[in-house]
Amino acid sequence: DTGVSQDPRHKITKRGQNVTFRCDPISEHNRLYWYRQTLGQGPEFLTYFQNEAQLEKSRLLSDRFSAERPKGSFSTLEIQRTEQGDSAMYLCASSSGQAPSGNTIYFGEGSWLTVV
Amino acid sequence: GQNIDQPTEMTATEGAIVQINCTYQTSGFNGLFWYQQHAGEAPTFLSYNVLDGLEEKGRFSSFLSRSKGYSYLLLKELQMKDSASYLCAVSKVTGGGNKLTFGTGTQLKVEL
């Protein structure tokens, strides 16, 4: 069990550029989540996948944001036309959904985005 | 909606015991999580309470009262490395999974 893996760990981009983050969940975890965290705040829910199906999206996820999990394993989060307000840590998490600890959500190390 | 309150900051002495409280108001409650987060790092899972009562795990314990919308995290025998932010998160069922809503975190400083 290697844990939730995210790439890249840090990204600096110019305003208006597109960025993509990748997440590899814990092996055999069918539930995958994306959260965003800014300084001094707790993580905020962005979206949730069960296998390849995206079952919920937050209103925080504007039209510039899109997430996919095409084969039900890794996921990508793309931000188009980045804005300075998108600067944050983007956290991926996963859970197994299987008893007895299926609801426990494990986070990856996060991807820091700085938009300049 | 969900409203989660926890103190912003706490200070405690190495070797002592500290209790971090969390109150919440929510619908569709499916459990309460505590995470530890060191600066610049991702949250690390500490505990998950779904039923009332105390769950003990080594130096850390977590308590839940669903009727009162209240939880606390108890840290014993504090060590300097326990200095971190402690996040309370309420779980709500969504589309077969569970969505976490986090408080803003309690920044704990452990001093000599």
Side-chain angles (χ1 to χ4, degrees), chain A residues 9 31 33 35 37 40-43 45 48 50 55-56 89 91 95 103-110 112, chain B residues 30 33 35 37 40-45 48 87 91 93-105:
Chain A
R9 295 290 315 283
R31 299 174 182 177
Y33 309 81
Y35 285 78
Q37 187 176 24
Q41 301 296 315
F45 172 81
Y48 157 64
Q50 180 153 314
L55 297 185
E56 185 164 344
M89 179 163 66
L91 290 160
S95 64
N103 286 335
T104 301
I105 294 177
Y106 298 94
F107 284 86
E109 293 180 321
W112 283 97
Chain B
N30 189 41
F33 288 80
Y35 286 85
Q37 187 174 31
E41 299 181 10
T44 303
F45 170 75
Y48 173 45
L87 297 161
S91 175
V93 173
T94 177
N98 51 312
K99 179 171 73 175
L100 297 182
T101 300
F102 284 84
T104 55

Side-chain angles (χ1 to χ4, degrees), chain A residues 38-95:
Chain A
T38 53
L39 215 57
Q41 301 296 315
E44 297 174 295
F45 172 81
L46 291 179
T47 191
Y48 157 64
F49 290 86
Q50 180 153 314
N51 299 311
E52 65 276 8
Q54 188 174 22
L55 297 185
E56 185 164 344
K57 289 169 61 172
S58 164
R59 283 172 291 180
L60 293 174
L61 218 63
S62 75
D63 292 345
R64 296 185 297 107
F65 288 69
S66 62
E68 294 183 343
R69 195 183 183 196
K71 297 181 181 178
S73 55
F74 74 92
S75 175
T76 58
L77 176 69
E78 182 183 18
I79 309 173
Q80 296 181 324
R81 304 182 302 282
T82 51
E83 301 172 355
Q84 288 188 319
D86 297 332
S87 295
M89 179 163 66
Y90 290 84
L91 290 160
C92 179
S94 70
S95 64

